[in-house]
Amino acid sequence: MLESKRPKRAPSIGDCLGSNEIRNSLSRVHFRDHVLAYSQRFLAAEAVELQAADEMIGSDNGESADGMKLVQLLISCAEAVACRDKSRASVLLSELRSSALVFGTSFQRVASCFVQGLADRLALVQPLGTVGYLTPAAALDAAAASEKDEALRLVYEICPHIQFGHYIANASIVEALEGESFIHVVDLGLSLGLPYGHQWRHLIQRLASSNRPLRRLRITAVGTLLHRFRSIGEELKDYASGHGINLEFSIVESNLETLKASDIKIVDGEVLAVNSVLQLHRVVKESRGALNSVLQIIHELSPKILVLVEQDSGHNGPFFLGRFMEALHYYSAIFDSLDAMLPKYDTRRAKIEQFYFAEEIKNIVSCEGPARVERHERVDQWRRRMSRAGFQAAPIKMVAQAKQWLAKTSPCEGYTVTEEKGCLVLGWHSKPIVAASCWKC
């Protein structure tokens, strides 16, 4: 029974709050309402986690028992960290480090990433205050940057997440701009700075094979990786020329929070598309002002289509424990998929886990304030945000094609494509991973 598996609870959130904090809330009733709502969501999430634990940690009885204990330790440690109970959290972290192995089962490996995040968060906890801000390093050294770039390249090549977003984005752009002879694509982040401009090579191929010749293609890259963008731009121009397409490539050196509509040059007669793959969640802040500003700028540009691809999970809720449980479920599915795709001791898998997904996990778990940039939200929340910003949904009607694409490109069974209210969602078994949606002004 599920009840027999429930871990022993640390002190409740209410027990952990001092009387001064309660008095400083807007009202006692308002505070209790928030705690009650949180507790209900957390208990429901915990029940889902415990119910799914056998799937996470394997069917072997001994492995299942060890995995269940690891789940319980993680939840208890997260509760202790949330309550700023450094003594209890330190004891639990010590026990977790001996169980959460970097080269163990998929759940042990994902647990090791959460242990790192919890330890970092605990180090920032103030006895009577909030969690401090973890300031990101101004720059990575060359070795660390190289490892991260290599991990991103491997994620693109091995996992279908990013390729799925590129496929849906390109197909949607081609469909929306069919028959146009002068196309301008604004790419926020230039597909994460991946080398070779993979997404746009595929788009160039599709445009070159069209019955109606394209007179001109413009691509504007928005981001701060100036040197990398220039290299990608030169390669894309040569590639487009070989396919008989005149490509103009320009760069707006700006992050999304400082972007202005005037930075993007619009030419008479061109039709505009905006592409955002795993970018906008990084400007979702507590105040919402940064994201609203970016969406307002895009709306002012009046693109014929905006393609939005984002992680489909709730890692931006107001309560730490809720975010922790959501992230644990989400990344457990991802690490499970990596188990199915790569052998146990494959160094590629270790690089993907430790230099890409572990970095996301640690940011979600250990950071607060401006330093927390991995603010993934569910597709329903994005739907509300886009609607409030004045965009109208443009349903994606290519689920059959997307399933065919997945069948051809997926390295293993287990990935799924489903349609949800006009959006397409890539999932691992029943767990959503990435969602793609299209919008118009």
Side-chain angles (χ1 to χ4, degrees):
M1 294 295 290
L2 185 61
E3 287 76 7
S4 64
K5 296 181 179 180
R6 190 175 302 281
K8 181 180 179 181
R9 288 201 167 275
S12 69
I13 298 298
D15 295 336
C16 296
L17 293 170
S19 58
N20 289 336
E21 291 180 73
I22 296 177
R23 284 195 295 270
N24 289 336
S25 64
L26 293 177
S27 71
R28 188 175 296 273
V29 172
H30 180 69
F31 177 82
R32 284 200 302 266
D33 288 344
H34 276 296
V35 171
L36 176 61
Y38 159 73
S39 299
Q40 290 171 339
R41 287 195 298 270
F42 174 54
L43 288 172
E46 183 183 88
V48 170
E49 286 302 326
L50 294 173
Q51 189 174 13
D54 286 343
E55 295 180 12
M56 287 185 190
I57 57 188
S59 57
D60 179 79
N61 288 337
E63 184 180 324
S64 178
D66 291 342
M68 182 56 64
K69 180 181 178 181
L70 187 54
V71 172
Q72 294 170 348
L73 284 172
L74 274 173
I75 294 171
S76 297
C77 186
E79 289 178 316
V81 172
C83 292
R84 299 190 291 277
D85 187 344
K86 282 195 168 187
S87 176
R88 176 172 169 76
S90 297
V91 171
L92 291 169
L93 279 172
S94 179
E95 189 171 355
L96 279 165
R97 288 190 178 101
S98 65
S99 304
L101 306 177
V102 174
F103 291 102
T105 66
S106 65
F107 191 70
Q108 286 176 325
R109 299 196 312 273
V110 76
S112 73
C113 300
F114 280 86
V115 169
Q116 294 174 50
L118 287 170
D120 290 345
R121 187 179 183 91
L122 186 64
L124 296 169
V125 165
Q126 306 300 318
L128 297 177
T130 59
V131 175
Y133 289 170
L134 182 63
T135 304
L140 294 172
D141 61 54
S146 176
E147 292 283 9
K148 289 177 71 71
D149 289 344
E150 173 72 1
L152 174 60
R153 182 186 65 79
L154 290 171
V155 168
Y156 177 80
E157 293 177 355
I158 295 171
C159 304
H161 311 170
I162 301 174
Q163 290 189 49
F164 168 79
H166 287 178
Y167 172 79
I168 299 300
N170 285 350
S172 300
I173 290 171
V174 169
E175 180 180 319
L177 307 186
E178 185 178 5
E180 301 292 346
S181 60
F182 190 0
I183 294 174
H184 182 188
V185 178
V186 174
D187 188 1
L188 307 181
L190 194 61
S191 298
L192 307 171
L194 279 162
Y196 311 119
H198 292 293
Q199 178 178 1
W200 305 124
R201 286 173 180 254
H202 293 311
L203 180 67
I204 289 167
Q205 290 174 7
R206 296 191 65 154
L207 294 174
S209 63
S210 173
N211 293 328
R212 182 166 179 172
L214 185 68
R215 184 161 57 91
R216 186 164 60 172
L217 171 65
R218 293 181 67 211
I219 295 178
T220 297
V222 178
T224 58
L225 302 175
L226 190 60
H227 178 73
R228 185 177 302 179
F229 286 2
R230 283 174 178 163
S231 175
I232 293 172
E234 291 301 318
E235 292 174 351
L236 285 176
K237 285 192 285 187
D238 290 341
Y239 187 80
S241 178
H243 284 75
I245 291 178
N246 177 23
L247 171 64
E248 297 179 10
F249 187 89
S250 59
I251 302 171
V252 174
E253 189 179 7
S254 170
N255 60 42
L256 293 181
E257 295 183 57
T258 59
L259 182 67
K260 300 187 293 293
S262 59
D263 292 334
I264 299 172
K265 308 304 179 187
I266 305 298
V267 178
D268 289 342
E270 69 181 14
V271 181
L272 181 67
V274 176
N275 183 75
S276 177
V277 177
L278 309 184
Q279 290 294 311
L280 286 186
H281 70 265
R282 300 179 71 87
V283 290
V284 177
K285 308 296 183 183
E286 286 89 347
S287 66
R288 302 180 185 174
L291 177 63
N292 290 343
S293 176
V294 174
L295 293 179
Q296 182 180 356
I297 289 169
I298 296 173
H299 200 276
E300 288 178 15
L301 296 172
S302 297
K304 192 167 184 179
I305 185 172
L306 162 63
V307 183
L308 177 65
V309 180
E310 286 291 344
Q311 294 91 338
D312 188 13
S313 194
H315 302 155
N316 192 39
F319 299 104
F320 165 69
L321 279 174
R323 296 198 305 269
F324 183 91
M325 295 300 295
E326 285 273 2
L328 184 60
H329 194 190
Y330 179 82
Y331 287 101
S332 293
I334 289 179
F335 277 54
D336 184 43
S337 72
L338 290 170
D339 251 10
M341 289 186 288
L342 294 169
K344 183 173 183 179
Y345 293 107
D346 196 311
T347 57
R348 295 174 299 169
R349 191 183 71 180
K351 288 181 179 180
I352 288 172
E353 291 175 351
Q354 292 300 313
F355 293 101
Y356 187 81
F357 290 118
E359 292 301 310
E360 290 186 352
I361 291 170
K362 287 188 288 185
N363 188 268
I364 293 167
V365 173
S366 66
C367 295
E368 291 294 348
R372 182 157 61 86
V373 296
E374 300 297 346
R375 295 174 177 264
H376 312 145
E377 296 190 323
R378 294 192 182 279
V379 67
D380 283 342
Q381 180 65 19
W382 280 109
R383 193 177 286 114
R384 289 189 288 270
R385 288 187 184 277
M386 299 301 290
S387 178
R388 287 197 297 265
F391 290 91
Q392 296 178 336
I396 303 174
K397 300 176 181 178
M398 60 179 73
V399 65
Q401 298 96 305
K403 288 181 177 179
Q404 290 174 359
W405 170 87
L406 182 64
K408 291 179 181 179
T409 60
S410 179
C412 65
E413 294 184 357
Y415 279 104
T416 59
V417 173
T418 56
E419 188 274 337
E420 182 181 328
K421 299 179 182 178
C423 305
L424 290 188
V425 180
L426 176 73
W428 175 251
H429 294 295
S430 60
K431 179 61 181 174
I433 302 297
V434 173
S437 58
C438 291
W439 304 86
K440 58 185 179 180
C441 295

